PDB file of all heavy atoms in Angstrom:
ATOM      1  N   ALA A   9     100.652 115.036  95.623  1.00  0.00           N
ATOM      2  CA  ALA A   9      99.535 114.285  96.058  1.00  0.00           C
ATOM      3  C   ALA A   9      99.344 113.006  95.263  1.00  0.00           C
ATOM      4  O   ALA A   9      99.168 111.959  95.902  1.00  0.00           O
ATOM      5  CB  ALA A   9      98.291 115.146  96.141  1.00  0.00           C
ATOM      6  N   LEU A  10      99.455 113.192  93.976  1.00  0.00           N
ATOM      7  CA  LEU A  10      99.361 111.959  93.129  1.00  0.00           C
ATOM      8  C   LEU A  10     100.422 110.977  93.345  1.00  0.00           C
ATOM      9  O   LEU A  10     100.257 109.793  93.465  1.00  0.00           O
ATOM     10  CB  LEU A  10      99.257 112.342  91.643  1.00  0.00           C
ATOM     11  CG  LEU A  10      98.016 113.020  91.180  1.00  0.00           C
ATOM     12  CD1 LEU A  10      98.168 113.537  89.737  1.00  0.00           C
ATOM     13  CD2 LEU A  10      96.843 112.044  91.200  1.00  0.00           C
ATOM     14  N   LEU A  11     101.642 111.522  93.561  1.00  0.00           N
ATOM     15  CA  LEU A  11     102.825 110.606  93.825  1.00  0.00           C
ATOM     16  C   LEU A  11     102.629 109.902  95.199  1.00  0.00           C
ATOM     17  O   LEU A  11     102.908 108.756  95.302  1.00  0.00           O
ATOM     18  CB  LEU A  11     104.087 111.470  93.793  1.00  0.00           C
ATOM     19  CG  LEU A  11     105.387 110.694  94.038  1.00  0.00           C
ATOM     20  CD1 LEU A  11     105.558 109.622  92.947  1.00  0.00           C
ATOM     21  CD2 LEU A  11     106.585 111.723  94.052  1.00  0.00           C
ATOM     22  N   ARG A  12     102.236 110.626  96.217  1.00  0.00           N
ATOM     23  CA  ARG A  12     102.026 110.144  97.523  1.00  0.00           C
ATOM     24  C   ARG A  12     100.947 109.026  97.426  1.00  0.00           C
ATOM     25  O   ARG A  12     101.102 107.948  98.005  1.00  0.00           O
ATOM     26  CB  ARG A  12     101.586 111.196  98.540  1.00  0.00           C
ATOM     27  CG  ARG A  12     101.406 110.655  99.919  1.00  0.00           C
ATOM     28  CD  ARG A  12     101.040 111.732 100.975  1.00  0.00           C
ATOM     29  NE  ARG A  12     101.601 113.018 100.719  1.00  0.00           N
ATOM     30  CZ  ARG A  12     100.863 114.075 100.489  1.00  0.00           C
ATOM     31  NH1 ARG A  12      99.603 113.986 100.427  1.00  0.00           N
ATOM     32  NH2 ARG A  12     101.388 115.278 100.288  1.00  0.00           N
ATOM     33  N   HIS A  13      99.851 109.253  96.734  1.00  0.00           N
ATOM     34  CA  HIS A  13      98.798 108.268  96.574  1.00  0.00           C
ATOM     35  C   HIS A  13      99.348 107.034  95.852  1.00  0.00           C
ATOM     36  O   HIS A  13      99.027 105.884  96.317  1.00  0.00           O
ATOM     37  CB  HIS A  13      97.629 108.892  95.842  1.00  0.00           C
ATOM     38  CG  HIS A  13      96.502 107.885  95.587  1.00  0.00           C
ATOM     39  ND1 HIS A  13      95.710 107.394  96.611  1.00  0.00           N
ATOM     40  CD2 HIS A  13      96.111 107.282  94.450  1.00  0.00           C
ATOM     41  CE1 HIS A  13      94.833 106.609  96.071  1.00  0.00           C
ATOM     42  NE2 HIS A  13      95.014 106.442  94.809  1.00  0.00           N
ATOM     43  N   HIS A  14     100.116 107.189  94.796  1.00  0.00           N
ATOM     44  CA  HIS A  14     100.663 106.141  94.071  1.00  0.00           C
ATOM     45  C   HIS A  14     101.650 105.249  94.933  1.00  0.00           C
ATOM     46  O   HIS A  14     101.624 104.101  94.992  1.00  0.00           O
ATOM     47  CB  HIS A  14     101.407 106.621  92.854  1.00  0.00           C
ATOM     48  CG  HIS A  14     102.103 105.585  92.023  1.00  0.00           C
ATOM     49  ND1 HIS A  14     101.417 104.707  91.235  1.00  0.00           N
ATOM     50  CD2 HIS A  14     103.390 105.327  91.951  1.00  0.00           C
ATOM     51  CE1 HIS A  14     102.249 103.839  90.699  1.00  0.00           C
ATOM     52  NE2 HIS A  14     103.474 104.237  91.019  1.00  0.00           N
ATOM     53  N   MET A  15     102.474 105.973  95.760  1.00  0.00           N
ATOM     54  CA  MET A  15     103.420 105.339  96.583  1.00  0.00           C
ATOM     55  C   MET A  15     102.746 104.524  97.711  1.00  0.00           C
ATOM     56  O   MET A  15     103.125 103.415  98.031  1.00  0.00           O
ATOM     57  CB  MET A  15     104.447 106.314  97.236  1.00  0.00           C
ATOM     58  CG  MET A  15     105.302 106.955  96.187  1.00  0.00           C
ATOM     59  SD  MET A  15     106.316 105.783  95.252  1.00  0.00           S
ATOM     60  CE  MET A  15     107.490 105.296  96.536  1.00  0.00           C
ATOM     61  N   GLU A  16     101.645 105.101  98.284  1.00  0.00           N
ATOM     62  CA  GLU A  16     100.918 104.391  99.341  1.00  0.00           C
ATOM     63  C   GLU A  16     100.200 103.174  98.734  1.00  0.00           C
ATOM     64  O   GLU A  16     100.190 102.097  99.401  1.00  0.00           O
ATOM     65  CB  GLU A  16      99.866 105.306  99.895  1.00  0.00           C
ATOM     66  CG  GLU A  16     100.457 106.379 100.832  1.00  0.00           C
ATOM     67  CD  GLU A  16      99.449 107.423 101.295  1.00  0.00           C
ATOM     68  OE1 GLU A  16      98.335 107.450 100.810  1.00  0.00           O
ATOM     69  OE2 GLU A  16      99.806 108.305 102.108  1.00  0.00           O
ATOM     70  N   ALA A  17      99.665 103.251  97.527  1.00  0.00           N
ATOM     71  CA  ALA A  17      99.144 102.112  96.895  1.00  0.00           C
ATOM     72  C   ALA A  17     100.098 101.015  96.598  1.00  0.00           C
ATOM     73  O   ALA A  17      99.913  99.809  96.896  1.00  0.00           O
ATOM     74  CB  ALA A  17      98.437 102.540  95.593  1.00  0.00           C
ATOM     75  N   LYS A  18     101.305 101.397  96.144  1.00  0.00           N
ATOM     76  CA  LYS A  18     102.433 100.419  95.898  1.00  0.00           C
ATOM     77  C   LYS A  18     102.848  99.822  97.220  1.00  0.00           C
ATOM     78  O   LYS A  18     103.142  98.613  97.248  1.00  0.00           O
ATOM     79  CB  LYS A  18     103.621 101.133  95.250  1.00  0.00           C
ATOM     80  CG  LYS A  18     103.445 101.345  93.727  1.00  0.00           C
ATOM     81  CD  LYS A  18     103.478 100.032  93.047  1.00  0.00           C
ATOM     82  CE  LYS A  18     103.509 100.202  91.570  1.00  0.00           C
ATOM     83  NZ  LYS A  18     103.448  98.979  90.881  1.00  0.00           N
ATOM     84  N   PHE A  19     102.980 100.634  98.226  1.00  0.00           N
ATOM     85  CA  PHE A  19     103.447 100.108  99.538  1.00  0.00           C
ATOM     86  C   PHE A  19     102.396  99.112 100.034  1.00  0.00           C
ATOM     87  O   PHE A  19     102.751  97.986 100.579  1.00  0.00           O
ATOM     88  CB  PHE A  19     103.617 101.267 100.555  1.00  0.00           C
ATOM     89  CG  PHE A  19     104.024 100.747 101.891  1.00  0.00           C
ATOM     90  CD1 PHE A  19     105.271 100.329 102.128  1.00  0.00           C
ATOM     91  CD2 PHE A  19     103.118 100.809 102.966  1.00  0.00           C
ATOM     92  CE1 PHE A  19     105.659  99.829 103.389  1.00  0.00           C
ATOM     93  CE2 PHE A  19     103.459 100.315 104.182  1.00  0.00           C
ATOM     94  CZ  PHE A  19     104.747  99.865 104.441  1.00  0.00           C
ATOM     95  N   ALA A  20     101.130  99.404  99.995  1.00  0.00           N
ATOM     96  CA  ALA A  20     100.095  98.492 100.434  1.00  0.00           C
ATOM     97  C   ALA A  20     100.112  97.194  99.613  1.00  0.00           C
ATOM     98  O   ALA A  20     100.000  96.096 100.202  1.00  0.00           O
ATOM     99  CB  ALA A  20      98.718  99.173 100.303  1.00  0.00           C
ATOM    100  N   SER A  21     100.342  97.283  98.297  1.00  0.00           N
ATOM    101  CA  SER A  21     100.486  96.144  97.446  1.00  0.00           C
ATOM    102  C   SER A  21     101.682  95.283  97.841  1.00  0.00           C
ATOM    103  O   SER A  21     101.566  94.023  97.930  1.00  0.00           O
ATOM    104  CB  SER A  21     100.493  96.547  95.945  1.00  0.00           C
ATOM    105  OG  SER A  21     100.853  95.434  95.164  1.00  0.00           O
ATOM    106  N   MET A  22     102.809  95.947  98.064  1.00  0.00           N
ATOM    107  CA  MET A  22     103.987  95.248  98.504  1.00  0.00           C
ATOM    108  C   MET A  22     103.828  94.608  99.793  1.00  0.00           C
ATOM    109  O   MET A  22     104.293  93.418 100.003  1.00  0.00           O
ATOM    110  CB  MET A  22     105.221  96.175  98.491  1.00  0.00           C
ATOM    111  CG  MET A  22     105.694  96.541  97.127  1.00  0.00           C
ATOM    112  SD  MET A  22     107.021  97.930  97.145  1.00  0.00           S
ATOM    113  CE  MET A  22     108.071  97.383  98.407  1.00  0.00           C
ATOM    114  N   GLN A  23     103.190  95.245 100.765  1.00  0.00           N
ATOM    115  CA  GLN A  23     102.955  94.678 102.052  1.00  0.00           C
ATOM    116  C   GLN A  23     102.030  93.468 101.999  1.00  0.00           C
ATOM    117  O   GLN A  23     102.307  92.453 102.631  1.00  0.00           O
ATOM    118  CB  GLN A  23     102.377  95.762 102.962  1.00  0.00           C
ATOM    119  CG  GLN A  23     102.269  95.287 104.440  1.00  0.00           C
ATOM    120  CD  GLN A  23     101.850  96.431 105.334  1.00  0.00           C
ATOM    121  OE1 GLN A  23     101.420  97.486 104.887  1.00  0.00           O
ATOM    122  NE2 GLN A  23     101.947  96.213 106.632  1.00  0.00           N
ATOM    123  N   ALA A  24     101.001  93.550 101.213  1.00  0.00           N
ATOM    124  CA  ALA A  24     100.126  92.372 101.005  1.00  0.00           C
ATOM    125  C   ALA A  24     100.875  91.207 100.363  1.00  0.00           C
ATOM    126  O   ALA A  24     100.716  90.086 100.825  1.00  0.00           O
ATOM    127  CB  ALA A  24      98.852  92.728 100.180  1.00  0.00           C
ATOM    128  N   SER A  25     101.640  91.481  99.416  1.00  0.00           N
ATOM    129  CA  SER A  25     102.472  90.419  98.729  1.00  0.00           C
ATOM    130  C   SER A  25     103.472  89.816  99.699  1.00  0.00           C
ATOM    131  O   SER A  25     103.580  88.595  99.784  1.00  0.00           O
ATOM    132  CB  SER A  25     103.207  91.057  97.577  1.00  0.00           C
ATOM    133  OG  SER A  25     104.074  90.086  96.998  1.00  0.00           O
ATOM    134  N   THR A  26     104.090  90.683 100.509  1.00  0.00           N
ATOM    135  CA  THR A  26     105.023  90.185 101.511  1.00  0.00           C
ATOM    136  C   THR A  26     104.358  89.308 102.547  1.00  0.00           C
ATOM    137  O   THR A  26     104.920  88.262 102.977  1.00  0.00           O
ATOM    138  CB  THR A  26     105.789  91.383 102.196  1.00  0.00           C
ATOM    139  OG1 THR A  26     106.458  92.114 101.176  1.00  0.00           O
ATOM    140  CG2 THR A  26     106.801  90.857 103.142  1.00  0.00           C
ATOM    141  N   ASP A  27     103.223  89.820 103.030  1.00  0.00           N
ATOM    142  CA  ASP A  27     102.379  89.032 104.013  1.00  0.00           C
ATOM    143  C   ASP A  27     102.031  87.686 103.450  1.00  0.00           C
ATOM    144  O   ASP A  27     102.097  86.679 104.128  1.00  0.00           O
ATOM    145  CB  ASP A  27     101.207  89.815 104.456  1.00  0.00           C
ATOM    146  CG  ASP A  27     101.541  91.090 105.278  1.00  0.00           C
ATOM    147  OD1 ASP A  27     102.704  91.126 105.771  1.00  0.00           O
ATOM    148  OD2 ASP A  27     100.653  91.821 105.453  1.00  0.00           O
ATOM    149  N   ALA A  28     101.617  87.638 102.204  1.00  0.00           N
ATOM    150  CA  ALA A  28     101.245  86.381 101.565  1.00  0.00           C
ATOM    151  C   ALA A  28     102.440  85.448 101.443  1.00  0.00           C
ATOM    152  O   ALA A  28     102.371  84.205 101.703  1.00  0.00           O
ATOM    153  CB  ALA A  28     100.601  86.611 100.231  1.00  0.00           C
ATOM    154  N   GLN A  29     103.548  85.992 101.021  1.00  0.00           N
ATOM    155  CA  GLN A  29     104.813  85.123 100.908  1.00  0.00           C
ATOM    156  C   GLN A  29     105.215  84.623 102.281  1.00  0.00           C
ATOM    157  O   GLN A  29     105.539  83.517 102.434  1.00  0.00           O
ATOM    158  CB  GLN A  29     105.927  85.916 100.265  1.00  0.00           C
ATOM    159  CG  GLN A  29     105.762  86.240  98.854  1.00  0.00           C
ATOM    160  CD  GLN A  29     106.843  87.060  98.202  1.00  0.00           C
ATOM    161  OE1 GLN A  29     107.644  87.637  99.007  1.00  0.00           O
ATOM    162  NE2 GLN A  29     106.891  87.079  96.898  1.00  0.00           N
ATOM    163  N   PHE A  30     105.103  85.508 103.318  1.00  0.00           N
ATOM    164  CA  PHE A  30     105.479  85.097 104.630  1.00  0.00           C
ATOM    165  C   PHE A  30     104.578  84.017 105.139  1.00  0.00           C
ATOM    166  O   PHE A  30     105.038  83.041 105.744  1.00  0.00           O
ATOM    167  CB  PHE A  30     105.521  86.277 105.625  1.00  0.00           C
ATOM    168  CG  PHE A  30     105.905  85.930 107.009  1.00  0.00           C
ATOM    169  CD1 PHE A  30     107.188  85.731 107.352  1.00  0.00           C
ATOM    170  CD2 PHE A  30     104.898  85.797 107.990  1.00  0.00           C
ATOM    171  CE1 PHE A  30     107.546  85.412 108.645  1.00  0.00           C
ATOM    172  CE2 PHE A  30     105.259  85.475 109.250  1.00  0.00           C
ATOM    173  CZ  PHE A  30     106.583  85.252 109.548  1.00  0.00           C
ATOM    174  N   ALA A  31     103.324  84.107 104.875  1.00  0.00           N
ATOM    175  CA  ALA A  31     102.394  83.134 105.363  1.00  0.00           C
ATOM    176  C   ALA A  31     102.647  81.778 104.580  1.00  0.00           C
ATOM    177  O   ALA A  31     102.623  80.682 105.199  1.00  0.00           O
ATOM    178  CB  ALA A  31     100.903  83.544 104.999  1.00  0.00           C
ATOM    179  N   GLY A  32     102.977  81.847 103.275  1.00  0.00           N
ATOM    180  CA  GLY A  32     103.277  80.645 102.559  1.00  0.00           C
ATOM    181  C   GLY A  32     104.577  79.933 103.126  1.00  0.00           C
ATOM    182  O   GLY A  32     104.676  78.729 103.268  1.00  0.00           O
ATOM    183  N   MET A  33     105.600  80.790 103.405  1.00  0.00           N
ATOM    184  CA  MET A  33     106.843  80.232 103.941  1.00  0.00           C
ATOM    185  C   MET A  33     106.636  79.663 105.334  1.00  0.00           C
ATOM    186  O   MET A  33     107.205  78.640 105.687  1.00  0.00           O
ATOM    187  CB  MET A  33     107.927  81.330 103.943  1.00  0.00           C
ATOM    188  CG  MET A  33     108.402  81.705 102.587  1.00  0.00           C
ATOM    189  SD  MET A  33     109.560  83.164 102.529  1.00  0.00           S
ATOM    190  CE  MET A  33     110.156  83.410 104.107  1.00  0.00           C
ATOM    191  N   ARG A  34     105.819  80.386 106.087  1.00  0.00           N
ATOM    192  CA  ARG A  34     105.537  79.810 107.478  1.00  0.00           C
ATOM    193  C   ARG A  34     104.784  78.477 107.384  1.00  0.00           C
ATOM    194  O   ARG A  34     105.105  77.495 108.101  1.00  0.00           O
ATOM    195  CB  ARG A  34     104.622  80.859 108.225  1.00  0.00           C
ATOM    196  CG  ARG A  34     104.368  80.523 109.631  1.00  0.00           C
ATOM    197  CD  ARG A  34     105.629  80.592 110.385  1.00  0.00           C
ATOM    198  NE  ARG A  34     105.282  80.456 111.822  1.00  0.00           N
ATOM    199  CZ  ARG A  34     106.189  80.005 112.712  1.00  0.00           C
ATOM    200  NH1 ARG A  34     107.364  79.752 112.316  1.00  0.00           N
ATOM    201  NH2 ARG A  34     105.877  79.922 113.906  1.00  0.00           N
ATOM    202  N   GLN A  35     103.877  78.374 106.450  1.00  0.00           N
ATOM    203  CA  GLN A  35     103.149  77.110 106.279  1.00  0.00           C
ATOM    204  C   GLN A  35     104.101  76.011 105.804  1.00  0.00           C
ATOM    205  O   GLN A  35     104.052  74.878 106.263  1.00  0.00           O
ATOM    206  CB  GLN A  35     101.985  77.260 105.266  1.00  0.00           C
ATOM    207  CG  GLN A  35     101.105  75.971 105.179  1.00  0.00           C
ATOM    208  CD  GLN A  35     100.421  75.677 106.466  1.00  0.00           C
ATOM    209  OE1 GLN A  35      99.931  76.497 107.193  1.00  0.00           O
ATOM    210  NE2 GLN A  35     100.447  74.373 106.818  1.00  0.00           N
ATOM    211  N   TYR A  36     105.000  76.370 104.859  1.00  0.00           N
ATOM    212  CA  TYR A  36     106.027  75.386 104.400  1.00  0.00           C
ATOM    213  C   TYR A  36     106.921  74.923 105.551  1.00  0.00           C
ATOM    214  O   TYR A  36     107.203  73.713 105.679  1.00  0.00           O
ATOM    215  CB  TYR A  36     106.836  76.129 103.339  1.00  0.00           C
ATOM    216  CG  TYR A  36     107.959  75.240 102.777  1.00  0.00           C
ATOM    217  CD1 TYR A  36     107.668  74.197 101.813  1.00  0.00           C
ATOM    218  CD2 TYR A  36     109.312  75.437 103.146  1.00  0.00           C
ATOM    219  CE1 TYR A  36     108.672  73.441 101.364  1.00  0.00           C
ATOM    220  CE2 TYR A  36     110.305  74.671 102.601  1.00  0.00           C
ATOM    221  CZ  TYR A  36     110.029  73.686 101.758  1.00  0.00           C
ATOM    222  OH  TYR A  36     111.011  72.899 101.265  1.00  0.00           O
ATOM    223  N   ILE A  37     107.356  75.881 106.404  1.00  0.00           N
ATOM    224  CA  ILE A  37     108.201  75.482 107.526  1.00  0.00           C
ATOM    225  C   ILE A  37     107.384  74.633 108.515  1.00  0.00           C
ATOM    226  O   ILE A  37     107.906  73.567 108.994  1.00  0.00           O
ATOM    227  CB  ILE A  37     108.727  76.780 108.169  1.00  0.00           C
ATOM    228  CG1 ILE A  37     109.781  77.410 107.328  1.00  0.00           C
ATOM    229  CG2 ILE A  37     109.369  76.410 109.571  1.00  0.00           C
ATOM    230  CD1 ILE A  37     110.274  78.776 107.766  1.00  0.00           C
ATOM    231  N   ASP A  38     106.226  75.018 108.804  1.00  0.00           N
ATOM    232  CA  ASP A  38     105.352  74.183 109.670  1.00  0.00           C
ATOM    233  C   ASP A  38     105.134  72.774 109.169  1.00  0.00           C
ATOM    234  O   ASP A  38     105.271  71.836 109.932  1.00  0.00           O
ATOM    235  CB  ASP A  38     103.991  74.881 109.951  1.00  0.00           C
ATOM    236  CG  ASP A  38     104.126  76.121 110.858  1.00  0.00           C
ATOM    237  OD1 ASP A  38     105.243  76.310 111.428  1.00  0.00           O
ATOM    238  OD2 ASP A  38     103.157  76.909 110.886  1.00  0.00           O
ATOM    239  N   ASP A  39     104.859  72.669 107.886  1.00  0.00           N
ATOM    240  CA  ASP A  39     104.691  71.363 107.256  1.00  0.00           C
ATOM    241  C   ASP A  39     105.992  70.567 107.344  1.00  0.00           C
ATOM    242  O   ASP A  39     105.941  69.314 107.608  1.00  0.00           O
ATOM    243  CB  ASP A  39     104.244  71.493 105.773  1.00  0.00           C
ATOM    244  CG  ASP A  39     102.820  72.015 105.639  1.00  0.00           C
ATOM    245  OD1 ASP A  39     102.082  72.050 106.669  1.00  0.00           O
ATOM    246  OD2 ASP A  39     102.424  72.473 104.517  1.00  0.00           O
TER     247      ASP A  39
END
């Protein structure tokens, strides 16, 4: 349960980071 919780938190963090990077790259391409 602790491992699952830790992995879900890491996944959420990675997803947020990826979304932010994608948004930055999208803005760079649009500019």
Side-chain angles (χ1 to χ4, degrees):
L10 287 172
L11 181 61
R12 186 178 324 115
H13 178 70
H14 177 72
M15 293 301 289
E16 288 172 354
K18 280 291 189 184
F19 179 74
S21 172
M22 287 172 44
Q23 188 172 9
S25 175
T26 303
D27 290 346
Q29 287 177 346
F30 180 76
M33 289 175 15
R34 184 69 171 156
Q35 186 62 42
Y36 177 77
I37 290 170
D38 288 346
D39 291 346

